Amino acid sequence: SLALRWSDVSRRTGLDTDFAVGIRSGSDLYARAKAGKRWELEDDYSIFAEQIYRYGIKSEHYARTNFEIRKAPADKPFIANHLHAQFENDGDEEEWTWGNSLYRQHDFAPGKRLNYGVYAGGYIENKKADLNGYGPFVGYRQPIYRNWLFAQTELNYYNDRREDRHHNVGVLLRFEALF
């Protein structure tokens, strides 16, 4: 995907917000709005909640809710549990999914980080959440060439029950430019 994003659109609300317009999967023009908030609690704990809505010309409606609980001692790696629920409707069919990641993250020099953990997720059908896939993952992100260009890799070992795939190695490579 390729997008232009405006971050912190409204700081008066106390929410972290952004708005993006872009193109996904070759020809799916979209607009996306996102709002989230972090609450700092006692003993280095925090809670984060976020809502995302995207409308694409081809993909149509997409909504996702993220909820994270984090334990982050000062100057040490943090551990977090990240839960999400997601809805997609392309006009012909709709699909509800869920996922949960328990992970640890090490932040190094500015922009560099290593994270690893376990993931479980699946589909929500008839008001029941089914487990479809699970497995471990590890990821690394760092600036390359300039301090605004990042490369992120992820290696995972997930399965997919719906597709009758046993655990398989997966690799992701992502580039991101922040101006």
Side-chain angles (χ1 to χ4, degrees):
S1 68
L2 182 63
L4 291 174
R5 181 178 302 161
W6 294 268
S7 296
D8 292 329
V9 175
S10 175
R11 293 183 179 155
R12 295 180 190 156
T13 63
L15 300 173
D16 295 325
T17 57
D18 73 38
F19 179 76
V21 292
I23 189 165
R24 302 177 60 248
S25 302
S27 61
D28 187 19
L29 296 171
Y30 72 90
R32 188 200 73 197
K34 180 170 71 168
K37 182 156 178 79
R38 180 172 303 279
W39 293 271
E40 298 297 330
L41 306 173
E42 296 177 9
D43 299 324
D44 301 321
Y45 282 95
S46 66
I47 295 175
F48 178 72
E50 176 180 65
Q51 184 64 51
I52 302 167
Y53 177 76
R54 182 183 72 222
Y55 184 83
I57 290 175
K58 289 184 178 179
S59 59
E60 296 193 14
H61 304 282
Y62 168 92
R64 180 175 169 131
T65 300
N66 295 310
F67 182 77
E68 183 176 273
I69 299 172
R70 182 183 291 191
K71 170 88 168 150
D75 300 323
K76 292 185 179 176
F78 70 79
I79 189 165
N81 190 73
H82 182 97
L83 175 67
H84 79 266
Q86 186 170 298
F87 170 78
E88 296 179 63
N89 183 332
D90 65 3
D92 295 328
E93 55 182 85
E94 66 180 47
E95 184 171 77
W96 285 89
T97 57
W98 69 276
N100 191 79
S101 298
L102 177 62
Y103 68 99
R104 185 166 181 120
Q105 181 168 307
H106 300 261
D107 293 317
F108 303 117
K112 290 184 182 182
R113 68 177 180 233
L114 170 71
N115 61 17
Y116 48 89
V118 292
Y119 167 82
Y123 297 92
I124 301 170
E125 296 172 339
N126 301 321
K127 299 181 183 179
K128 289 185 176 180
D130 293 326
L131 178 63
N132 181 63
Y134 56 89
F137 65 89
V138 62
Y140 183 74
R141 181 179 192 258
Q142 79 169 41
I144 56 171
Y145 187 60
R146 304 276 187 196
N147 63 354
W148 49 265
L149 182 61
F150 297 88
Q152 180 175 336
T153 59
E154 181 180 301
L155 178 64
N156 58 55
Y157 189 61
Y158 297 153
N159 67 339
D160 188 335
R161 291 180 175 178
R162 193 177 254 190
E163 297 294 325
D164 196 26
R165 290 187 186 149
H166 299 286
H167 280 84
N168 293 303
V169 174
V171 178
L172 166 85
L173 176 61
R174 174 182 173 176
F175 294 100
E176 183 176 10
L178 300 174
F179 301 101

